[in-house]
Amino acid sequence: MVNELIKRNIPDFFVNNGKKIETKQEWEDYRPYLKELLLKEEYGFLPPKIIPTVRVEKEGVDFAGKAEWESVYFTFENNGKSHTVKTGLILPKGKEKCPVFLSLNFQKEIPNKYLPVEEIIDTGFGIFAFCYEEVTADNNDFTNGLCGLFEENGKCPFGKISLWAYFASICMDYLEKRQEVDKNSVAIIGHSRLGKTALLTSALDERFKLTCVNDSGCCGAAVSRGKSKENETIEKITETFPFWFTDGFKQYVNNESSLPFDQHMLLALVAPRCLIVGGAEEDAWADNKGQHLSCALAAKAWELYDKGLADKRLNYYERRGTHFLSRTDWIVYMEGFKEILKNEI
Ligand code: GTR
């Protein structure tokens, strides 16, 4: 870890106006500026909040009779256009004030290979899930879906990750209103590009109790500086997925040393809440050493709140295998969440 730190040459970013941040108050004063900086340079500013109209359709009891399933439709209107996003809310039957996982999904189907619904329900959690491409397509078409409500001449001032995060926060607004949901016990979970999205959502929106960031790698949990040949870099990611970021982010291609932050500062914004960063041993592209180092560097934010807090609330783990949101990962996240709730961590 020490070698890694030296090799990567990451400056101390816990600095505000040239002054080292040493107290919780100094850190809290710096947070709004840091949020702005990350959005301005990397992800692009989120659009103004539109309050959607919500329609609920009961799908009935399912999952061996153990859960109530509803489809919840959010309709947004702006600039004479409208867009509806379908989500699914599944709550264990007969449980009052249920803790819930807000799950950012690749697939529309529930359950799917990344979302073992019955196991999650059996562990005592509810699920609120949406498919990210229902919000806006994962491509450079900014007239599509919710983006279409904000575009001007086919362009938006934000990247798609920001818009997915925007919708995730709207989901949280909705969960807060549901009697059956314990609004103080909502975890957000996402894998890979949706891990990046979950992390950004929680960095900006402090209502999530736990943030589970799986194999998020480049522009997610991994630091951007000092990548090895096998890791994804800003150059690679902005070549393949330029539409995930604000246009100006390209200035940091092969120029990471001029970034006014590194990704650990995004992690730091989750403090003092609970964060689990997951990696997979065979996922070299995501840069596990960079994710681990990022957690180590971000720990300072938790420590500013309380000595020893990072140890309790910031967790990094790596499992065997490849890039995937696996059953093992879910078990780690669910066990972690159970612990947090039981011991009031
Ligand atoms: C990869 C991409 C990563 C990661 C992943 C995914 O191809 O390079 O940044 O986000 O896709 O979302 O599955």
Side-chain angles (χ1 to χ4, degrees):
M1 186 74 83
V2 173
N3 276 345
E4 204 56 39
L5 185 57
I6 294 167
K7 188 189 108 197
R8 301 227 182 197
N9 200 12
I10 299 173
D12 181 4
F13 287 112
F14 285 90
V15 175
N16 189 5
N17 268 327
K19 189 182 172 306
K20 261 185 189 284
I21 296 171
E22 307 280 13
T23 67
K24 175 184 149 192
Q25 193 53 52
E26 287 167 0
W27 168 244
E28 299 226 313
D29 292 344
Y30 183 59
R31 289 173 67 103
Y33 172 78
L34 177 60
K35 287 183 188 180
E36 292 250 335
L37 191 64
L38 281 154
L39 293 176
K40 179 167 161 268
E41 302 298 323
E42 185 166 2
Y43 303 101
F45 289 104
L46 274 58
K49 203 150 189 176
I50 298 179
I51 311 291
T53 53
V54 180
R55 184 171 63 82
V56 178
E57 234 172 63
K58 288 207 182 297
E59 302 288 351
V61 175
D62 209 328
F63 302 104
K66 293 179 287 191
E68 305 269 3
W69 186 353
E70 292 174 1
S71 293
V72 186
Y73 297 84
F74 293 83
T75 300
F76 297 84
E77 285 180 24
N78 198 35
N79 281 339
K81 293 185 214 160
S82 131
H83 179 67
T84 300
V85 184
K86 181 183 181 185
T87 63
L89 180 64
I90 303 163
L91 296 171
K93 246 170 64 179
K95 201 165 181 225
E96 271 173 44
K97 294 284 173 208
C98 189
V100 167
F101 275 100
L102 173 60
S103 170
L104 281 45
N105 282 6
F106 284 95
Q107 273 107 348
K108 287 186 182 170
E109 298 75 35
I110 295 175
N112 63 64
K113 66 176 186 174
Y114 293 112
L115 189 67
V117 171
E118 194 173 348
E119 197 156 352
I120 301 168
I121 289 289
D122 285 347
T123 316
F125 298 109
I127 300 159
F128 195 31
F130 71 87
C131 170
Y132 78 129
E133 291 210 276
E134 292 253 319
V135 179
T136 185
D138 195 355
N139 59 30
N140 61 6
D141 175 8
F142 279 84
T143 62
N144 174 283
L146 197 52
C147 263
L149 276 60
F150 303 108
E151 57 105 7
E152 261 176 54
N153 302 321
K155 286 197 178 294
C156 286
F158 47 81
K160 296 252 168 143
I161 291 177
S162 274
L163 200 68
W164 297 320
Y166 172 90
F167 184 72
S169 267
I170 299 230
C171 289
M172 186 65 190
D173 296 343
Y174 179 71
L175 286 174
E176 282 194 320
K177 294 195 186 104
R178 292 288 303 235
Q179 289 298 314
E180 314 92 312
V181 172
D182 178 356
K183 64 176 182 171
N184 298 316
S185 303
V186 177
I188 183 166
I189 178 165
H191 166 67
S192 203
R193 68 200 69 186
L194 298 178
K196 307 181 210 298
T197 307
L199 186 54
L200 179 64
T201 309
S202 190
L204 300 174
D205 182 338
E206 287 155 30
R207 293 173 293 174
F208 296 95
K209 174 97 179 163
L210 166 67
T211 306
C212 307
V213 182
N214 200 68
D215 302 350
S216 63
C218 184
C219 301
V223 286
S224 301
R225 285 169 171 77
K227 297 285 190 187
S228 300
K229 275 209 290 298
E230 68 271 18
N231 308 141
E232 187 174 29
T233 56
I234 296 179
E235 179 180 24
K236 294 273 163 33
I237 205 167
T238 55
E239 229 169 62
T240 322
F241 306 106
F243 44 86
W244 285 355
F245 307 98
T246 186
D247 285 346
F249 189 48
K250 288 211 182 78
Q251 69 179 289
Y252 299 107
V253 168
N254 295 321
N255 184 24
E256 288 81 357
S257 62
S258 69
L259 267 167
F261 51 78
D262 212 314
Q263 290 304 115
H264 63 290
M265 298 310 282
L266 186 65
L267 267 58
L269 284 169
V270 178
R273 293 161 294 136
C274 299
L275 172 64
I276 308 177
V277 172
E281 273 173 20
E282 293 171 47
D283 191 6
W285 191 237
D287 180 14
N288 288 316
K289 283 182 185 157
Q291 301 198 102
H292 197 181
L293 179 61
S294 193
C295 289
L297 293 170
K300 171 158 182 183
W302 278 265
E303 294 298 294
L304 288 170
Y305 285 89
D306 226 336
K307 273 258 151 294
L309 195 63
D311 214 25
K312 292 189 200 142
R313 294 197 183 167
L314 169 61
N315 288 282
Y316 173 81
Y317 90 100
E318 233 172 273
R319 60 152 171 80
R320 283 188 298 135
T322 55
H323 187 75
F324 190 74
L325 177 53
S326 72
R327 185 170 176 272
T328 311
D329 298 313
W330 266 106
I331 291 171
V332 169
Y333 299 129
M334 289 193 292
E335 287 305 313
F337 201 10
K338 264 178 22 193
E339 278 277 312
I340 289 162
L341 297 175
K342 192 173 114 213
N343 300 325
E344 295 177 18
I345 290 172

